[in-house]
Amino acid sequence: LMRRNLDETCALPATKISRIEVHAAAVPLSKEIPSNPVATMKAEQQWCDVGIFKSNTALVSQFYLLPKGKQSMSKTGNADVPDYSLLKKQDLVPGTGYKFRVAAINGCGIGPFSKISEFKTCIPGFPGAPSAVRISKNVEGIHLSWEPPTSPSGNILEYSAYLAIRTAQIQDNPSQLVFMRIYCGLKTSCVVTAGQLANAHIDYTSRPAIVFRISAKNEKGYGPATQVRWLQGNNKKAPLS
């Protein structure tokens, strides 16, 4: 979700630098059916810098704490960079939800931030999230497949796949998705039938899409889920990142 849209009237050359910020709070990401109770912390409405990077990717393991009395380190009028050596660092907490947003920087300053993305960190001993999710159509509906977690932390006992479904709750709060489990087993693929897809919620937060989640379970339990959006209209999928 990196966005490079800056003021086209700027005469100064662009630089390949991007700023990533993290919302320093644990947040509930969604509800699942069936689901286990998830403990959440009260959100503090503050954005903290993760850093400034000269590439399109970054491994995030910590963020910088805000100076006392400040609500944000973002500057929109110029490209001044905070002196991170003066700031304290905070490691990401295992099993905690974080919100991220990204902005591009050039000689004119900081551009608009991307849409907010939500992620949950792994808990030591639990498996990582499945990867490389693929969606293709077949005569029964669609074929959903994925790769095992790169960090299984033991033997994978089963996978679960979920589909975001239409409910009255979503109509009242479209950002709070409700998921129904459509598969549980050891195989790294499943068929989603036309009947199941008929109950799917169409998410309009960006382009219309059907939303799936897939998670892996080992001896300790289920790890974080991989979420993908299957775009409607051109039948392509787009990972949520």
Side-chain angles (χ1 to χ4, degrees):
L1 289 177
M2 289 191 176
R3 191 165 70 187
R4 295 287 192 266
N5 295 335
L6 296 176
D7 188 351
E8 295 180 355
T9 62
C10 286
L12 297 178
T15 56
K16 294 181 178 179
I17 301 178
S18 60
R19 178 188 223 143
I20 301 178
E21 295 187 334
V22 60
H23 192 284
V27 294
L29 300 186
S30 72
K31 295 182 179 179
E32 294 182 353
I33 301 175
S35 63
N36 296 322
V38 178
T40 60
M41 295 161 47
K42 184 178 179 181
E44 299 174 6
Q45 298 301 318
Q46 292 183 336
W47 285 96
C48 300
D49 276 13
V50 170
I52 295 179
F53 308 92
K54 294 186 177 181
S55 66
N56 292 340
T57 62
L59 177 62
V60 179
S61 60
Q62 61 188 14
F63 57 90
Y64 295 95
L65 295 175
L66 289 169
K68 188 175 181 180
K70 293 200 68 175
Q71 293 297 314
S72 174
M73 285 185 278
S74 300
K75 297 182 180 181
T76 56
N78 56 62
D80 291 345
V81 177
D83 187 352
Y84 292 126
S85 65
L86 302 177
L87 302 176
K88 292 183 178 180
K89 299 177 182 178
Q90 173 66 56
D91 291 334
L92 299 186
V93 179
T96 303
Y98 292 91
K99 292 182 178 180
F100 290 84
R101 61 181 186 176
V102 182
I105 303 173
N106 69 3
C108 295
I110 300 174
F113 278 98
S114 67
K115 292 182 179 180
I116 295 172
S117 296
E118 298 174 346
F119 298 88
K120 189 174 182 180
T121 52
C122 296
I123 300 175
F126 287 81
S131 61
V133 179
R134 298 178 182 87
I135 301 174
S136 59
K137 298 186 74 173
N138 63 18
V139 293
E140 299 178 68
I142 64 169
H143 183 260
L144 192 63
S145 64
W146 55 89
E147 296 293 331
T150 55
S151 54
S153 300
N155 296 321
I156 298 299
L157 302 180
E158 66 183 27
Y159 296 94
S160 284
Y162 299 86
L163 169 68
I165 59 173
R166 294 193 305 270
T167 66
Q169 179 182 345
I170 290 184
Q171 292 178 354
D172 296 335
N173 186 4
S175 63
Q176 192 72 36
L177 299 180
V178 175
F179 288 83
M180 175 182 71
R181 187 156 66 178
I182 55 175
Y183 170 78
C184 181
L186 263 174
K187 292 183 178 180
T188 56
S189 66
C190 68
V191 172
V192 186
T193 66
Q196 291 170 324
L197 291 173
N199 295 318
H201 165 70
I202 305 298
D203 179 46
Y204 288 94
T205 53
S206 54
R207 297 172 63 183
I210 294 175
V211 183
F212 296 93
R213 281 186 175 177
I214 305 164
S215 57
K217 179 182 180 181
N218 64 7
E219 292 87 349
K220 197 165 185 178
Y222 273 99
T226 295
Q227 182 166 298
V228 293
R229 303 178 74 248
W230 186 39
L231 298 181
Q232 298 303 289
N234 55 7
N235 291 331
K236 294 182 180 179
K237 67 177 178 63
L240 273 182
S241 50

